[in-house]
Amino acid sequence: MPPPRAPSRIDLITFPAFASSWLGIPSLPPSNAGGLSILAYSGGGGSAKTGVFNLIDVSSAYQLADDERDADANADEYGVVKNEFRISTGDEVGVGVAMFRPHNAKKGEGALLAAAVGNEIRVYRVPINPDDMPGGDAGVGSSSGDEKENAKHLLMGSVHVGDGFGCNAVSWSPTGNAIAVGCENGRVRVYMLLPATSSGTGGSSGSGPSLELKLASDCEGHEKAVCSVSYHPRGGAVLSSAKDGTARIWDVRGDSEAGTELAQLKCSIEGMDGKSAAPKNRRPPQILVRGCAFGDLEGKVVFTVASGRRGSAYLSKWKIMPGDRPQPRPAPTPGKPPLTPAKSKAIQSSQQGPRLKVTEEVRLECHPMPVSAVSLSGDASHLALGGVDGTVTYLKLETMKPTKKWMEIHDLPVTCIAARPTHLPLPGEEEEGINVDIMSASADNRLSKLTLQRRSRRKNRDGSGGGGGIAGFGLGMLGFLFSLWFLFFCMAGVILAILTQLSWEACEAEISSKDIIAAKECIWSTVLWAPSDRPGVSFPPH
């Protein structure tokens, strides 16, 4: 695995990661405070009692105002408060995580984290100050405490989706009052977050869960496992993609628990010209739609990434438009009994047809191998793709061309990837002078932090890197001269070793006799300098 070029880097982690989420809120003027960056990734060693390190790793950085830095002992020299902790997921591996923080959150307020763990959805609170951890600095559940205690005290609420469902992906609604989950059995469900009416163990106060998750919509339609879910930017609808070759848009605003399918996007692994990079088989290959996302704030653009088990991956851009208005319910015919509610609903559904019109505007090959992880940047300008060959691609959606590729930086397929949540600077980046654009992880226990920058801004400002002014030039020249001296001494050592070996082979008898004069004459006339009367030294002129 070739390492990425600096300042991009790869960090070793203690367990295989299968899901990641990155929440970023920039600091805003005039105080230039309140910025927050939280990275969470989950995984582990197995879904069994013998599994080890089934954890959720969370790290955060919160920017304080200038007048608050001295009052907080946890702040560093840049006024950033950092917090790191882990949450145990028990015998099950977390394969989906998503975070939410309201725009009107109070100063110093943390975030909420939803995790897909087995057949459950769990909601945890994410403290951003070490003093807000359960027990504080010295008690249980602190940053260095037991992961099981963190799981117990930080749990806000949970729900058992159903036996055999297998939760794969989660997504928060824009207002944070609902969570969408995609399951292994093809179902998409939406749960509303309500204040808890019963007490137990856990929660923010330790007296019991503070949230109750109530089923709001149950969407049936996918024939295979759901890979990704994404909420509409304005709420009310959920986008999902699955291993059945489709992405679907669901209306989840109804009062009934049954969600309504608004549109179905049938993906393909062929180019728009009909040419396919997939292997020629007798039966059509299975199409896996690994990722989907809304590409604008109005939900009129959708991006999907599909691939087969082998062959190339294809990126599609879809245009979403309103469909035909539903026709009114048929009136009862005089003299005939009224229709039953079930039959009336079936007739109305067959008459109204699709409620949204979808048009595939662009489809192109985005990677020569299948894609296993997808993430849309916060400004919807780039799409981060992780391939089964360990390659990470940063694709610009405006031109539909890769901005940069990091070839095979993981030994195994990329299992999770997170694109930068905002184009503005985030807390914690000033220390290193690097704006990370992509974070990716794999089962190879490596977490990559990739950037488009060629060098660190901090090195340039301090004069300790290339192009750092007069001080940087002076240090560069000093290093160059030191390298020359080092090379000179190495070459001198090699020449001396060769001469020593030749002298011993030619004058072994004189050296062994300890006759210094004879040894000197032998070495000088045989090894170092040949007399002119020696045969082969002088040649007659032609």
Side-chain angles (χ1 to χ4, degrees):
M1 180 195 69
R5 186 176 180 180
S8 298
R9 72 177 191 269
I10 290 182
D11 297 336
L12 297 179
I13 55 179
T14 58
F15 57 88
F18 301 112
S20 63
S21 178
W22 189 1
L23 174 67
I25 302 174
S27 299
L28 299 176
S31 63
N32 291 326
L36 178 63
S37 177
I38 306 178
L39 174 66
Y41 59 90
S42 64
S47 298
K49 293 185 177 180
T50 57
V52 293
F53 297 117
N54 292 336
L55 302 169
I56 301 174
D57 190 290
V58 182
S59 58
S60 65
Y62 178 70
Q63 182 69 55
L64 298 177
D66 293 338
D67 56 352
E68 299 174 336
R69 299 183 181 184
D70 297 335
D72 197 321
N74 298 311
D76 60 14
E77 58 178 318
Y78 302 98
V80 177
V81 176
K82 297 182 179 180
N83 189 26
E84 298 181 4
F85 60 93
R86 289 179 170 181
I87 301 173
S88 173
T89 57
D91 297 338
E92 299 287 347
V93 178
V95 295
V97 290
M99 288 185 290
F100 172 79
R101 187 174 188 259
H103 295 287
N104 59 349
K106 298 179 181 179
K107 182 185 299 184
E109 183 179 350
L112 294 178
L113 183 147
V117 183
N119 294 321
E120 291 184 351
I121 297 297
R122 304 175 187 176
V123 179
Y124 300 95
R125 68 182 182 94
V126 180
I128 57 178
N129 195 310
D131 295 338
D132 297 333
M133 294 294 295
D137 290 335
V140 296
S142 64
S143 297
S144 58
D146 188 7
E147 295 87 357
K148 294 183 179 179
E149 292 296 329
N150 286 338
K152 176 181 177 182
H153 291 278
L154 298 179
L155 182 66
M156 301 288 289
S158 63
V159 63
H160 183 78
V161 178
D163 294 333
F165 272 66
C167 302
N168 286 340
V170 288
S171 177
W172 285 89
S173 67
T175 57
N177 65 337
I179 298 175
V181 52
C183 303
E184 186 71 21
N185 63 355
R187 302 274 279 277
V188 176
R189 286 191 166 186
V190 174
Y191 289 89
M192 300 296 296
L193 274 67
L194 305 173
T197 56
S198 60
S199 62
T201 59
S204 59
S205 63
S207 60
S210 57
L211 294 176
E212 179 181 349
L213 280 71
K214 181 181 178 181
L215 180 63
S217 295
D218 187 6
C219 308
E220 295 186 59
H222 285 296
E223 299 176 358
K224 294 185 180 296
V226 177
C227 301
S228 175
V229 290
S230 178
Y231 240 101
H232 191 282
R234 297 185 178 180
V238 172
L239 172 66
S240 63
S241 64
K243 297 181 180 180
D244 60 359
T246 67
R248 303 172 191 242
I249 302 177
W250 308 91
D251 185 355
V252 295
R253 297 172 299 179
D255 298 331
S256 62
E257 293 185 357
T260 303
E261 182 178 313
L262 298 178
Q264 182 178 143
L265 290 65
K266 295 183 179 181
C267 301
S268 174
I269 53 175
E270 295 182 353
M272 298 292 281
D273 54 1
K275 296 181 179 179
S276 174
K280 299 297 183 180
N281 298 327
R282 292 185 178 179
R283 59 179 182 180
Q286 181 182 357
I287 300 176
L288 314 176
V289 189
R290 290 290 190 181
C292 61
F294 287 101
D296 64 344
L297 295 178
E298 297 182 356
K300 294 182 178 180
V301 177
V302 168
F303 293 99
T304 60
V305 178
S307 59
R309 299 285 182 181
R310 294 176 294 175
S312 299
Y314 284 84
L315 169 65
S316 296
K317 179 181 178 181
W318 306 79
K319 185 177 181 180
I320 311 298
M321 297 296 292
D324 299 332
R325 293 181 178 271
Q327 298 182 8
R329 180 175 298 180
T333 304
K336 291 186 178 181
L339 299 175
T340 62
K343 190 172 182 180
S344 176
K345 183 178 181 180
I347 294 176
Q348 183 181 9
S349 177
S350 63
Q351 290 180 346
Q352 76 177 30
R355 298 178 60 183
L356 292 177
K357 292 181 179 180
V358 296
T359 303
E360 189 176 13
E361 295 184 332
V362 180
R363 187 198 310 148
L364 51 83
E365 180 181 340
C366 58
H367 193 59
M369 299 190 70
V371 166
S372 53
V374 181
S375 177
L376 182 69
S377 63
D379 58 1
S381 63
H382 285 78
L383 200 65
L385 308 175
V388 297
D389 58 344
T391 298
V392 174
T393 304
Y394 204 40
L395 191 141
K396 189 174 184 179
L397 294 176
E398 182 180 0
T399 60
M400 288 291 187
K401 294 181 180 180
T403 300
K404 188 175 180 60
K405 278 192 176 185
W406 292 268
M407 300 300 296
E408 300 180 1
I409 60 172
H410 290 285
D411 293 333
L412 298 173
V414 179
T415 52
C416 57
I417 195 168
R420 186 175 181 84
T422 175
H423 66 282
L424 298 174
L426 292 173
E429 296 178 337
E430 185 179 1
E431 181 179 358
E432 297 182 354
I434 301 172
N435 291 359
V436 177
D437 294 292
I438 300 175
M439 295 189 186
S440 65
S442 176
D444 59 358
N445 289 42
R446 289 182 173 92
L447 175 68
S448 72
K449 297 182 179 181
L450 309 175
T451 177
L452 298 178
Q453 292 178 215
R454 295 186 176 181
R455 57 180 63 89
S456 171
R457 297 187 306 273
R458 178 172 172 78
K459 288 184 177 180
N460 292 340
R461 183 170 62 251
D462 294 345
S464 58
I470 297 178
F473 177 77
L475 291 175
M477 287 298 298
L478 184 61
F480 176 72
L481 293 176
F482 177 79
S483 301
L484 288 181
W485 278 106
F486 181 76
L487 180 62
F488 171 77
F489 281 112
C490 288
M491 294 181 63
V494 171
I495 294 174
L496 182 60
I498 294 174
L499 292 177
T500 302
Q501 180 67 22
L502 294 175
S503 300
W504 177 258
E505 293 176 355
C507 307
E508 181 179 0
E510 289 78 357
I511 296 175
S512 300
S513 65
K514 298 182 180 181
D515 188 347
I516 298 177
I517 298 177
K520 179 180 177 182
E521 291 291 339
C522 178
I523 293 174
W524 176 258
S525 61
T526 307
V527 179
L528 298 179
W529 193 267
S532 60
D533 58 349
R534 177 181 294 179
V537 175
S538 297
F539 295 92
H542 294 284

